[in-house]
Amino acid sequence: MSATGRCHCGAVTWAAEGEPQHHAICHCEDCRRWSGAPMVGWIAWQEDQLTVEGATTCYHSSRHGTREFCSACGTGLFYRNPETLPGIVDIQSGTLDDPERLPPGAQIMVKERLGWAPGIADLPAFNAYPGMD
């Protein structure tokens, strides 16, 4: 199995070979604040299975954690933490070229999940932005 992805502007592309280690939706506050989203999907491969092209900027978000984003458009891309995830690169799954093909298998850090998140499927749903069919 292989997968590819890119940032919003396309300046950074990535390709991964082999089976992913995991794919989970994270509810932690750290991911929320970094991404600006209420939850973030992370899919992971071994470091040696990943190829990256383009310029990224690193941000040390914690003592051992490093987050990388596109230097041009700011899209969040990669998370590395050699202390807790040795040899693994977590990739924001929203950057997958074919996100339907690799659905998440778990939710993590649910102890920090926003109180309204479990009911999100019950909210009214619109095919497009309301009023812009």
Side-chain angles (χ1 to χ4, degrees):
M1 174 183 291
S2 64
T4 59
R6 64 177 181 85
C7 66
H8 188 262
C9 73
V12 177
T13 59
W14 60 266
E17 292 296 327
E19 292 292 322
Q21 299 295 306
H22 66 255
H23 184 185
I25 303 300
C26 185
H27 293 278
C28 80
E29 182 180 3
D30 192 43
C31 285
R32 281 199 314 268
R33 293 210 177 267
W34 185 67
S35 68
M39 59 201 76
V40 179
W42 292 104
I43 190 165
W45 276 272
Q46 293 290 325
E47 182 81 45
D48 63 359
Q49 293 176 296
L50 178 66
T51 303
V52 178
E53 293 188 19
T56 62
T57 300
C58 292
Y59 167 66
H60 297 283
S61 60
S62 65
R63 183 171 171 213
H64 299 288
T66 302
R67 297 175 185 270
E68 290 179 59
F69 54 94
C70 172
S71 298
C73 70
T75 299
L77 295 162
F78 312 115
Y79 175 79
R80 291 177 173 86
N81 186 325
E83 185 81 9
T84 56
L85 300 168
I88 293 178
V89 180
D90 259 331
I91 303 169
Q92 283 201 29
S93 58
T95 67
L96 283 161
D97 287 331
D98 186 5
E100 291 283 352
R101 192 173 64 97
L102 297 165
Q107 295 182 63
I108 58 174
M109 296 301 293
V110 294
K111 68 182 182 180
E112 295 182 26
R113 180 172 56 193
L114 297 172
W116 53 261
I120 201 163
D122 299 327
L123 293 174
F126 302 90
N127 286 329
Y129 192 84
M132 296 181 71
D133 297 331

